[in-house]
Amino acid sequence: MTGYSMLLALSDSRLPTGGHVHSGGVEEAVTSGLVVDLATLAAFLRRRIRTTALVAASIAAAVHRGTLESAAGGTGDAETDARTPAPAARQASRAQGRGLVRLARRVWPSSDWGALGATPHLAVALGAVGAAGALDPEHTALSVVYTTMTGSATAAQRLLALDPGDVAALTFELAPLCEQTAAEAAAGLADLSDPLLDVLAQRHLDRERPLFAS
C-alpha cells in the first residue's frame, strides 16, 4: 500500500477503531446551545482544528519520528496526558487508541504493538501506525487533523439533522486550515489546551444517556 493510499485508509470513516461513537465534544456543544447550525458548527470545527487537532497531530508526528516514545508509560503518553487536562478527554483518547491498536495488530502483525500497552492515547497509537505504514510524519499529522475535524462534523450532522451536502462542503472549505495545521504540528510539539473544550468533555461524561461516548 502506497503512502497516499494509507493516508486515505486512515482518514476513512469506515475504519473500525470506534471513532464513530465519539463526537469530540460536539454533542455537549449542541446540548449547551453553542452549536445550533452550520455557521456555529464551522466555528466549533475551526476551534477544534486549531487546538485539539494541532496538539494531537504534533504528538503523533513526534512519536512517528521517534522524538517521543510510543511505549506504555513513555514520553508519548506523558506528553499527551500533560496536554489533556480533562480526565474525560483522556479516557476518550485511550479508548480510541485501544481500538486503533486492535486493528493495527491485524494489518501489521509483525510489529510489536504490545509495547504500547493496553490503552495508549490515540495520538501515540496513530504515530506508531504512521511509522508502521511507512507514511511521512507530515501525512500522519494530516490524518490526525482531518479525522479530528470529520469526526465532529459527522456527529453534528446527525445531531442537528444538517444537510450532508452542506457539511461536506464545510469540510472542503476547512481543508486548507487542516493542511496548515498539520504542517505546523509536524514542525514541533504544540503546547496548549482549550478550556472550553475541556469543560465540554468533562460535562458530557456526567450527562445521562448521551448518544455519543464523548
Side-chain angles (χ1 to χ4, degrees):
M1 187 181 291
T2 66
Y4 286 112
S5 296
M6 180 65 66
L7 180 61
L8 289 172
L10 287 175
S11 302
D12 194 324
S13 61
R14 295 172 299 175
L15 200 69
T17 61
H20 65 286
V21 302
H22 295 270
S23 78
V26 81
E27 180 175 10
E28 193 59 38
V30 168
T31 302
S32 301
L34 299 175
V35 173
V36 297
D37 55 18
L38 197 66
T40 49
L41 173 60
F44 179 91
L45 293 179
R46 287 190 182 93
R47 182 168 187 153
R48 186 156 160 74
I49 289 167
R50 291 302 302 158
T51 55
T52 304
L54 172 61
V55 170
S58 74
I59 291 169
V63 168
H64 185 143
R65 286 196 176 95
T67 308
L68 292 178
E69 300 166 353
S70 61
T75 53
D77 257 0
E79 294 293 342
T80 308
D81 275 338
R83 289 164 174 77
T84 314
R90 290 186 210 142
Q91 179 179 322
S93 170
R94 290 187 182 278
Q96 292 174 83
R98 181 178 64 245
L100 180 58
V101 169
R102 185 169 57 245
L103 174 64
R105 290 180 188 277
R106 299 185 63 176
V107 180
W108 298 280
S110 60
S111 296
D112 182 16
W113 299 107
L116 273 70
T119 56
H121 275 294
L122 178 59
V124 174
L126 280 164
V129 164
L135 288 179
D136 295 329
E138 292 78 9
H139 285 162
T140 295
L142 182 57
S143 73
V144 175
V145 175
Y146 180 77
T147 53
T148 299
M149 171 189 69
T150 55
S152 291
T154 302
Q157 176 184 308
R158 293 169 60 187
L159 291 163
L160 294 171
L162 297 173
D163 185 326
D166 288 341
V167 176
L170 175 58
T171 62
F172 276 107
E173 178 187 328
L174 293 173
L177 180 61
C178 288
E179 293 176 358
Q180 173 190 337
T181 302
E184 184 178 340
L189 282 175
D191 294 307
L192 54 84
S193 64
D194 188 322
L196 174 60
L197 296 183
D198 291 335
V199 168
L200 291 176
Q202 204 59 39
R203 187 187 297 167
H204 184 275
L205 192 65
D206 298 329
R207 287 187 64 231
E208 290 187 9
R209 302 172 66 181
L211 180 61
F212 292 91
S214 71

Coordinates of all heavy atoms in Angstrom, one line a residue, residues 33-110:
G33 N -26.2 24.5 23.5 CA -26.6 25.7 22.7 C -25.5 26.4 22.0 O -25.7 27.5 21.4
L34 N -24.3 25.9 22.0 CA -23.2 26.5 21.4 C -23.1 26.2 19.9 O -22.6 27.0 19.1 CB -21.9 26.1 22.1 CG -21.7 26.4 23.6 CD1 -20.5 25.8 24.1 CD2 -21.8 27.9 23.8
V35 N -23.5 25.0 19.5 CA -23.6 24.7 18.1 C -25.0 24.4 17.8 O -25.6 23.5 18.3 CB -22.7 23.4 17.8 CG1 -22.9 22.9 16.4 CG2 -21.2 23.7 18.1
V36 N -25.6 25.2 16.9 CA -27.0 25.1 16.6 C -27.3 25.1 15.1 O -28.4 24.8 14.6 CB -27.8 26.3 17.2 CG1 -27.7 26.3 18.7 CG2 -27.3 27.7 16.6
D37 N -26.3 25.4 14.3 CA -26.5 25.4 12.8 C -25.1 25.3 12.1 O -24.1 25.1 12.8 CB -27.2 26.7 12.4 CG -26.5 28.0 12.9 OD1 -25.3 27.9 13.2 OD2 -27.1 29.0 12.9
L38 N -25.1 25.4 10.8 CA -23.9 25.2 10.1 C -22.8 26.3 10.4 O -21.6 25.9 10.5 CB -24.2 25.3 8.6 CG -23.1 24.7 7.6 CD1 -23.0 23.2 7.9 CD2 -23.4 25.0 6.2
A39 N -23.2 27.5 10.6 CA -22.3 28.6 10.9 C -21.6 28.3 12.3 O -20.4 28.5 12.4 CB -23.0 29.9 10.9
T40 N -22.4 27.9 13.3 CA -21.7 27.7 14.6 C -20.9 26.4 14.6 O -20.0 26.3 15.3 CB -22.8 27.7 15.7 OG1 -23.9 26.8 15.3 CG2 -23.4 29.1 16.0
L41 N -21.3 25.4 13.8 CA -20.5 24.2 13.6 C -19.2 24.6 13.0 O -18.2 24.1 13.4 CB -21.3 23.2 12.7 CG -20.4 22.0 12.4 CD1 -20.0 21.2 13.6 CD2 -21.2 21.1 11.4
A42 N -19.2 25.5 12.0 CA -17.9 25.9 11.4 C -17.0 26.5 12.4 O -15.8 26.2 12.4 CB -18.2 26.9 10.2
A43 N -17.5 27.4 13.3 CA -16.7 28.0 14.3 C -16.2 26.9 15.3 O -15.0 27.0 15.7 CB -17.5 29.0 15.0
F44 N -17.0 26.0 15.6 CA -16.5 24.9 16.5 C -15.4 24.1 15.9 O -14.4 23.8 16.5 CB -17.7 24.0 16.9 CG -17.4 22.8 17.8 CD1 -17.5 23.0 19.2 CD2 -16.9 21.6 17.3 CE1 -17.1 21.9 20.0 CE2 -16.6 20.6 18.1 CZ -16.7 20.7 19.5
L45 N -15.6 23.7 14.6 CA -14.6 22.9 14.0 C -13.3 23.6 13.8 O -12.2 23.1 14.0 CB -15.1 22.5 12.6 CG -16.3 21.5 12.6 CD1 -16.7 21.2 11.2 CD2 -16.0 20.2 13.4
R46 N -13.3 24.9 13.5 CA -12.1 25.7 13.4 C -11.4 25.7 14.7 O -10.1 25.6 14.8 CB -12.4 27.1 12.9 CG -12.8 27.3 11.5 CD -12.9 28.7 11.0 NE -13.3 28.8 9.6 CZ -14.5 29.0 9.2 NH1 -15.5 29.1 10.2 NH2 -14.8 29.0 8.0
R47 N -12.1 25.9 15.8 CA -11.5 25.9 17.1 C -10.9 24.6 17.4 O -9.8 24.5 18.0 CB -12.6 26.3 18.1 CG -12.1 26.4 19.6 CD -13.1 27.0 20.4 NE -12.6 27.3 21.8 CZ -13.0 28.2 22.6 NH1 -14.0 29.0 22.2 NH2 -12.5 28.4 23.8
R48 N -11.6 23.5 17.1 CA -11.1 22.2 17.4 C -9.9 21.8 16.6 O -8.9 21.2 17.1 CB -12.2 21.2 17.2 CG -11.9 19.7 17.6 CD -13.2 19.0 17.8 NE -13.0 17.5 17.8 CZ -12.3 16.8 18.7 NH1 -11.9 17.4 19.8 NH2 -12.2 15.5 18.6
I49 N -9.9 22.3 15.3 CA -8.7 22.0 14.5 C -7.5 22.7 15.1 O -6.4 22.2 15.1 CB -9.0 22.5 13.1 CG1 -10.0 21.6 12.4 CG2 -7.7 22.6 12.2 CD1 -10.5 22.2 11.1
R50 N -7.6 24.0 15.5 CA -6.5 24.8 15.9 C -6.0 24.5 17.4 O -5.0 25.0 17.8 CB -6.9 26.3 15.8 CG -7.0 26.8 14.4 CD -5.8 26.6 13.6 NE -4.6 27.2 14.2 CZ -3.3 26.9 14.0 NH1 -3.1 25.9 13.2 NH2 -2.4 27.6 14.6
T51 N -6.8 23.6 18.1 CA -6.4 23.3 19.4 C -6.2 21.8 19.6 O -5.1 21.3 19.5 CB -7.4 23.8 20.4 OG1 -8.7 23.3 20.1 CG2 -7.5 25.3 20.4
T52 N -7.3 21.1 19.7 CA -7.2 19.6 19.9 C -6.4 18.9 18.8 O -5.5 18.1 19.1 CB -8.6 19.0 20.1 OG1 -9.3 19.7 21.1 CG2 -8.5 17.5 20.4
A53 N -6.8 19.2 17.6 CA -6.2 18.5 16.4 C -4.7 18.9 16.3 O -3.9 18.0 16.0 CB -6.9 18.9 15.2
L54 N -4.4 20.2 16.5 CA -3.0 20.6 16.5 C -2.1 19.9 17.5 O -1.0 19.3 17.1 CB -2.9 22.1 16.7 CG -1.5 22.7 16.8 CD1 -0.6 22.5 15.6 CD2 -1.5 24.2 17.2
V55 N -2.6 19.8 18.7 CA -1.8 19.1 19.8 C -1.7 17.6 19.5 O -0.6 17.1 19.5 CB -2.5 19.3 21.1 CG1 -1.8 18.4 22.2 CG2 -2.4 20.8 21.5
A56 N -2.8 17.0 19.2 CA -2.7 15.5 18.9 C -1.8 15.2 17.7 O -1.1 14.2 17.7 CB -4.1 15.0 18.7
A57 N -1.9 16.0 16.7 CA -1.1 15.8 15.5 C 0.3 16.0 15.7 O 1.2 15.3 15.2 CB -1.6 16.7 14.3
S58 N 0.7 17.0 16.6 CA 2.1 17.2 16.9 C 2.7 16.0 17.7 O 3.8 15.7 17.5 CB 2.2 18.5 17.7 OG 1.8 18.4 19.0
I59 N 1.9 15.5 18.6 CA 2.3 14.3 19.3 C 2.5 13.1 18.4 O 3.5 12.4 18.5 CB 1.4 14.0 20.5 CG1 1.4 15.1 21.5 CG2 1.7 12.6 21.1 CD1 0.4 15.0 22.6
A60 N 1.5 12.9 17.5 CA 1.6 11.7 16.6 C 2.8 11.9 15.7 O 3.5 10.9 15.5 CB 0.3 11.7 15.7
A61 N 3.1 13.1 15.2 CA 4.3 13.2 14.3 C 5.6 13.0 15.1 O 6.5 12.4 14.6 CB 4.3 14.6 13.7
A62 N 5.6 13.4 16.4 CA 6.8 13.2 17.2 C 7.0 11.7 17.5 O 8.2 11.2 17.5 CB 6.7 14.0 18.5
V63 N 5.9 11.0 17.8 CA 6.0 9.6 18.0 C 6.5 8.9 16.7 O 7.3 8.0 16.7 CB 4.7 9.0 18.5 CG1 4.7 7.5 18.4 CG2 4.4 9.5 19.9
H64 N 5.9 9.3 15.6 CA 6.3 8.7 14.3 C 7.8 8.9 14.1 O 8.5 7.9 13.7 CB 5.5 9.5 13.2 CG 5.7 8.9 11.8 ND1 4.7 8.9 10.9 CD2 6.8 8.4 11.2 CE1 5.2 8.3 9.8 NE2 6.5 8.0 10.0
R65 N 8.4 10.0 14.4 CA 9.8 10.3 14.1 C 10.7 9.6 15.2 O 11.9 9.5 15.0 CB 10.1 11.8 14.2 CG 9.6 12.6 13.0 CD 10.2 13.9 12.9 NE 9.9 14.6 11.7 CZ 8.9 15.5 11.6 NH1 8.1 15.8 12.7 NH2 8.6 16.1 10.5
G66 N 10.1 9.2 16.3 CA 10.9 8.7 17.4 C 11.3 9.7 18.4 O 12.1 9.4 19.3
T67 N 10.9 11.0 18.2 CA 11.2 12.0 19.2 C 10.6 11.7 20.5 O 11.1 12.0 21.6 CB 10.8 13.4 18.7 OG1 11.3 13.6 17.3 CG2 11.3 14.5 19.6
L68 N 9.4 11.2 20.5 CA 8.6 10.8 21.7 C 8.5 9.3 21.6 O 8.3 8.7 20.6 CB 7.3 11.4 21.8 CG 7.2 12.9 22.0 CD1 5.7 13.3 22.0 CD2 7.8 13.3 23.3
E69 N 8.5 8.6 22.8 CA 8.4 7.2 22.9 C 7.0 6.7 22.8 O 6.1 7.4 23.3 CB 9.0 6.7 24.2 CG 10.4 7.0 24.5 CD 10.8 6.8 25.9 OE1 9.9 6.6 26.7 OE2 12.0 6.9 26.2
S70 N 6.8 5.6 22.0 CA 5.4 5.1 21.9 C 5.1 4.1 23.0 O 3.9 3.7 23.2 CB 5.2 4.5 20.5 OG 6.1 3.4 20.4
A71 N 6.1 3.6 23.7 CA 5.9 2.5 24.7 C 5.0 3.0 25.8 O 5.0 4.2 26.2 CB 7.2 2.1 25.2
A72 N 4.3 2.1 26.4 CA 3.4 2.5 27.5 C 4.2 3.1 28.7 O 5.3 2.6 29.0 CB 2.7 1.2 28.1
G73 N 3.7 4.2 29.2 CA 4.4 4.9 30.2 C 5.5 5.8 29.8 O 6.3 6.3 30.6
G74 N 5.8 5.8 28.5 CA 6.9 6.6 27.9 C 6.5 8.1 27.7 O 5.5 8.6 28.1
T75 N 7.4 8.7 27.0 CA 7.2 10.2 26.8 C 6.0 10.5 26.0 O 5.4 11.6 26.2 CB 8.5 10.8 26.2 OG1 8.8 10.1 25.0 CG2 9.7 10.7 27.1
G76 N 5.6 9.7 25.1 CA 4.4 10.0 24.3 C 3.2 10.1 25.1 O 2.4 11.0 25.0
D77 N 3.0 9.1 26.0 CA 1.9 9.0 26.9 C 1.9 10.2 27.9 O 0.9 10.9 28.1 CB 1.9 7.7 27.7 CG 0.9 6.7 27.2 OD1 0.1 7.1 26.3 OD2 0.8 5.7 27.8
A78 N 3.1 10.5 28.4 CA 3.3 11.6 29.4 C 3.0 12.9 28.8 O 2.3 13.7 29.4 CB 4.7 11.5 30.0
E79 N 3.5 13.2 27.6 CA 3.3 14.5 27.0 C 1.8 14.6 26.6 O 1.3 15.7 26.6 CB 4.2 14.6 25.7 CG 5.6 14.7 26.1 CD 6.0 15.9 26.8 OE1 5.3 16.9 26.8 OE2 7.1 16.0 27.4
T80 N 1.1 13.5 26.2 CA -0.3 13.6 25.9 C -1.1 13.9 27.1 O -2.0 14.8 27.1 CB -0.8 12.3 25.2 OG1 0.1 12.0 24.1 CG2 -2.2 12.5 24.7
D81 N -0.8 13.2 28.2 CA -1.5 13.5 29.5 C -1.4 15.0 29.9 O -2.3 15.6 30.3 CB -1.0 12.6 30.6 CG -1.7 11.2 30.6 OD1 -2.8 11.1 30.1 OD2 -1.1 10.3 31.1
A82 N -0.2 15.5 29.7 CA 0.1 16.8 30.2 C -0.7 17.9 29.3 O -1.0 19.0 29.8 CB 1.6 17.1 30.0
R83 N -1.0 17.5 28.1 CA -1.7 18.4 27.2 C -3.2 18.1 27.2 O -3.9 18.7 26.3 CB -1.1 18.3 25.8 CG 0.3 18.9 25.7 CD 1.0 18.5 24.4 NE 2.2 19.2 24.3 CZ 3.3 19.0 24.9 NH1 3.3 17.9 25.8 NH2 4.5 19.6 24.7
T84 N -3.7 17.2 28.0 CA -5.1 16.8 28.0 C -5.6 16.9 29.4 O -5.7 15.9 30.2 CB -5.3 15.3 27.5 OG1 -4.5 15.1 26.3 CG2 -6.7 15.0 27.2
P85 N -6.0 18.1 29.9 CA -6.4 18.3 31.3 C -7.6 17.6 31.7 O -7.7 17.2 32.9 CB -6.6 19.9 31.3 CG -5.9 20.4 30.2 CD -6.0 19.4 29.1
A86 N -8.6 17.4 30.8 CA -9.9 16.8 31.2 C -9.7 15.3 31.3 O -9.4 14.7 30.3 CB -10.9 17.2 30.2
P87 N -10.0 14.7 32.4 CA -10.0 13.2 32.5 C -10.9 12.6 31.5 O -10.5 11.5 31.0 CB -10.4 13.0 34.0 CG -10.1 14.2 34.7 CD -10.3 15.3 33.8
A88 N -12.0 13.2 31.2 CA -12.9 12.6 30.2 C -12.3 12.5 28.9 O -12.5 11.5 28.1 CB -14.2 13.4 30.2
A89 N -11.5 13.6 28.5 CA -10.9 13.6 27.2 C -9.8 12.6 27.1 O -9.5 11.9 26.1 CB -10.3 15.0 26.9
R90 N -9.1 12.4 28.2 CA -8.0 11.3 28.3 C -8.6 9.9 28.1 O -8.1 9.1 27.4 CB -7.3 11.4 29.6 CG -6.4 12.6 29.8 CD -5.6 12.5 31.1 NE -5.3 13.8 31.7 CZ -5.4 14.0 33.0 NH1 -5.6 13.1 33.8 NH2 -5.1 15.2 33.4
Q91 N -9.8 9.7 28.8 CA -10.4 8.5 28.7 C -10.9 8.2 27.2 O -10.7 7.1 26.7 CB -11.7 8.5 29.6 CG -12.5 7.2 29.6 CD -13.7 7.3 30.5 OE1 -13.6 7.8 31.6 NE2 -14.8 6.8 30.1
A92 N -11.4 9.2 26.6 CA -11.9 9.0 25.2 C -10.7 8.7 24.3 O -10.8 7.9 23.3 CB -12.6 10.3 24.7
S93 N -9.6 9.4 24.5 CA -8.4 9.3 23.7 C -7.9 7.8 23.8 O -7.5 7.2 22.8 CB -7.3 10.3 24.1 OG -6.1 10.0 23.5
R94 N -7.8 7.3 25.0 CA -7.3 6.0 25.2 C -8.2 4.9 24.7 O -7.8 3.9 24.2 CB -7.0 5.8 26.7 CG -5.8 6.6 27.2 CD -5.5 6.2 28.7 NE -4.4 7.0 29.2 CZ -3.1 6.8 28.9 NH1 -2.7 5.8 28.2 NH2 -2.1 7.6 29.4
A95 N -9.5 5.2 24.8 CA -10.5 4.2 24.2 C -10.3 4.1 22.7 O -10.3 3.0 22.1 CB -11.9 4.6 24.5
Q96 N -10.1 5.2 22.0 CA -9.9 5.2 20.6 C -8.5 4.6 20.2 O -8.3 3.9 19.2 CB -10.1 6.6 20.0 CG -11.5 7.0 20.1 CD -11.7 8.5 19.7 OE1 -11.8 8.7 18.5 NE2 -11.7 9.4 20.6
G97 N -7.5 4.9 21.1 CA -6.2 4.3 20.9 C -6.2 2.8 20.9 O -5.6 2.1 20.1
R98 N -7.0 2.3 21.9 CA -7.1 0.8 22.0 C -7.7 0.2 20.8 O -7.3 -0.8 20.3 CB -8.0 0.5 23.2 CG -8.1 -1.0 23.5 CD -9.0 -1.3 24.7 NE -10.3 -0.8 24.6 CZ -10.9 0.2 25.3 NH1 -10.2 0.8 26.3 NH2 -12.1 0.5 25.1
G99 N -8.7 0.9 20.2 CA -9.4 0.4 19.0 C -8.5 0.4 17.8 O -8.5 -0.5 17.0
L100 N -7.6 1.5 17.7 CA -6.7 1.5 16.6 C -5.6 0.5 16.7 O -5.3 -0.2 15.7 CB -6.1 2.9 16.5 CG -5.0 3.2 15.4 CD1 -5.7 3.0 14.1 CD2 -4.4 4.6 15.5
V101 N -5.1 0.2 17.9 CA -4.1 -0.8 18.0 C -4.7 -2.2 17.7 O -4.0 -3.0 17.1 CB -3.5 -0.8 19.4 CG1 -2.6 -2.0 19.7 CG2 -2.7 0.5 19.6
R102 N -5.9 -2.4 18.1 CA -6.6 -3.7 17.8 C -6.6 -3.9 16.3 O -6.3 -5.1 15.8 CB -8.0 -3.7 18.3 CG -8.7 -5.1 18.2 CD -10.0 -5.1 19.0 NE -10.9 -4.1 18.6 CZ -11.3 -3.1 19.4 NH1 -10.8 -3.0 20.6 NH2 -12.1 -2.2 19.0
L103 N -6.8 -2.9 15.5 CA -6.8 -3.0 14.0 C -5.4 -3.2 13.5 O -5.1 -4.0 12.6 CB -7.5 -1.8 13.4 CG -7.4 -1.7 11.9 CD1 -8.2 -2.9 11.2 CD2 -8.0 -0.4 11.4
A104 N -4.5 -2.4 14.1 CA -3.1 -2.4 13.7 C -2.5 -3.8 13.8 O -1.6 -4.2 13.0 CB -2.3 -1.4 14.4
R105 N -2.8 -4.5 14.9 CA -2.3 -5.9 15.1 C -2.6 -6.8 13.9 O -1.9 -7.7 13.5 CB -2.9 -6.5 16.3 CG -2.5 -5.9 17.6 CD -3.1 -6.6 18.8 NE -2.9 -5.9 20.1 CZ -1.8 -6.1 20.8 NH1 -0.8 -6.9 20.4 NH2 -1.6 -5.4 21.9
R106 N -3.8 -6.6 13.2 CA -4.2 -7.4 12.1 C -3.5 -6.9 10.8 O -3.1 -7.8 9.9 CB -5.7 -7.3 11.9 CG -6.5 -7.8 13.1 CD -8.0 -7.9 12.8 NE -8.3 -8.8 11.7 CZ -9.6 -9.0 11.4 NH1 -10.6 -8.4 12.0 NH2 -9.8 -9.9 10.4
V107 N -3.3 -5.6 10.7 CA -2.7 -5.1 9.4 C -1.2 -5.3 9.4 O -0.6 -5.6 8.4 CB -3.0 -3.6 9.3 CG1 -2.4 -3.0 8.0 CG2 -4.5 -3.4 9.3
W108 N -0.5 -5.1 10.6 CA 1.0 -5.2 10.7 C 1.3 -6.2 11.8 O 1.8 -5.8 12.9 CB 1.6 -3.9 11.0 CG 1.4 -2.8 9.9 CD1 2.1 -2.7 8.7 CD2 0.4 -1.8 9.9 NE1 1.6 -1.7 8.0 CE2 0.6 -1.1 8.7 CE3 -0.6 -1.4 10.8 CZ2 -0.2 0.0 8.4 CZ3 -1.4 -0.3 10.5 CH2 -1.2 0.4 9.3
P109 N 1.0 -7.5 11.6 CA 1.2 -8.4 12.7 C 2.6 -8.6 13.2 O 2.8 -9.1 14.3 CB 0.6 -9.7 12.1 CG 0.8 -9.6 10.7 CD 0.5 -8.1 10.4
S110 N 3.6 -8.2 12.4 CA 5.0 -8.4 12.8 C 5.5 -7.3 13.7 O 6.6 -7.4 14.3 CB 5.9 -8.5 11.6 OG 5.8 -7.3 10.8

